[in-house]
Amino acid sequence: MNEHRIVSVTEHSPAAKAGIRKGDRLILLNGMPVQDIFDYHYLAEDIKVTLTVRHSDDTEETYTITKGEDEDLGLVFPESLMDDYKSCYNKCIFCFIDQNPEGMRDTIYFKDDDSRLSFLQGNYITMTNMKEEEIDRIIKYKLAPINISVHTTNPELRKSMLHNRFAGNILEHIEKLYKAEIPMNGQIVLCRGVNDGEELYRTIKDLSRYAPVMQSLSVVPVGLTRYRDGLCQLDPFTKEDAEEVIDMIEGFQREIMEKAGTHFVHASDEWYILAGRRMPKEETYDGYLQIENGVGMTRLLFEEFHAAVNSVGRAGKKKGLELLGLSREERELRRILHSNPGRKVSTVCGMLAYKSSSVIRKELARIRPDISFFVYPIRNDFFGPRITVTGLLTGQDIARQLKGRELGDALLIPQDCLKADEEIFLDDMSLRELEKALQVKTIIVKSYGVEYLKAITGA
């Protein structure tokens, strides 16, 4: 039976009022053992709950607590999951973690394949290490959406790609979730000559039957670093390959839209840039469900920045008595129009996004032609030139390639380049170290809307 150590009890919470203390261990909740955070939240939903805890002197005590319907008990545990993370047992031919160089922090090399992180953090999972009772629990608790790394629906090919003899039953799992109406999202990492062409057609066709319960499906090209010694030989996609992938996906979009009212399958931005085609319109992305997979990121950047520039323009046109009725938001927008005249500012991006940056510069010039905005594409020497996305840039590559360049009053660093909870790049270089190396103020950019304009103008 799992026992969960309580590291703190929120002041004035139901648990604190009942007398539960830091250092106690939770044994049972409503008479049931608690495996993890999902059991805890599910069992603690009731207005009246019972908790059995073990005190530090090894005595047990049961508390009956009455609380508000949505009120938290107030117990804090050392791990967010209240359990160990489940690691991945596959040896996928395309695994990015296997392509990392030596000497990075330990967390970089951990391969998670934990369904609970799919719900908590949006991670994609293969479902290869899940037992039937775990899928039943997802259905019972109505956890959603679940994000699934499918890659192919050909059972034998999936076993081969994942190097796992248990990987061939993915459609059985999806069918079970579909019948229970559990929302899903799918992902295909496409490998040239492996799961593309006819195999890709088969996979999209198979999965389209589950739309709209399966809300979306992304197709992304495999990322290939320079650290592939001893790994499966994989080749990069060509412009012609990208055109074929896009044509197939857009054909399916038209067909599925008629049947299910959703575009369903989406090509990541890399395909359009590689093919030299314009990004699809915003409505094609069905609400940007696959933004974390680089699907629609460029279009969203354009739309947010365009909307922000238009908002600033409208606020700037107000005159006379209209100025007296300006809202706080409108005053902030007008400040963007007049802050720091002649300002110079710079930013970085991956090689993939550089062509798109011209749109941002043109939009900025509409309202602030006095600002010099330098956008520097950074070649990824750390992982290799085939890695071209902004989110995988490292501090040392940025520092080396910007040395001696015109950086202006500040250098804007996209949030995607940094660790989620720390100002650290993938190579463990800190933002402060980069700032010191380049002797320029650095600013983290979290949005491409009004906040981005504020960062550029220094408003």
Side-chain angles (χ1 to χ4, degrees), residues 21 23-24 54-59:
R21 302 181 296 275
D24 288 343
R54 189 188 307 281
H55 299 304
S56 56
D57 62 3
D58 214 31
T59 59

Side-chain angles (χ1 to χ4, degrees), residues 170-213:
I170 186 62
L171 280 180
E172 295 173 21
H173 296 328
I174 291 174
E175 181 76 24
K176 189 170 185 176
L177 293 167
Y178 171 73
K179 287 180 178 178
E181 298 184 347
I182 300 297
M184 299 171 273
N185 295 299
Q187 176 197 63
I188 298 171
V189 173
L190 207 63
C191 301
R192 190 170 187 240
V194 181
N195 61 336
D196 56 351
E198 292 182 3
E199 291 293 347
L200 176 61
Y201 186 93
R202 169 182 173 168
T203 300
I204 298 174
K205 191 75 174 175
D206 286 345
L207 295 177
S208 67
R209 300 199 311 265
Y210 302 110
V213 175

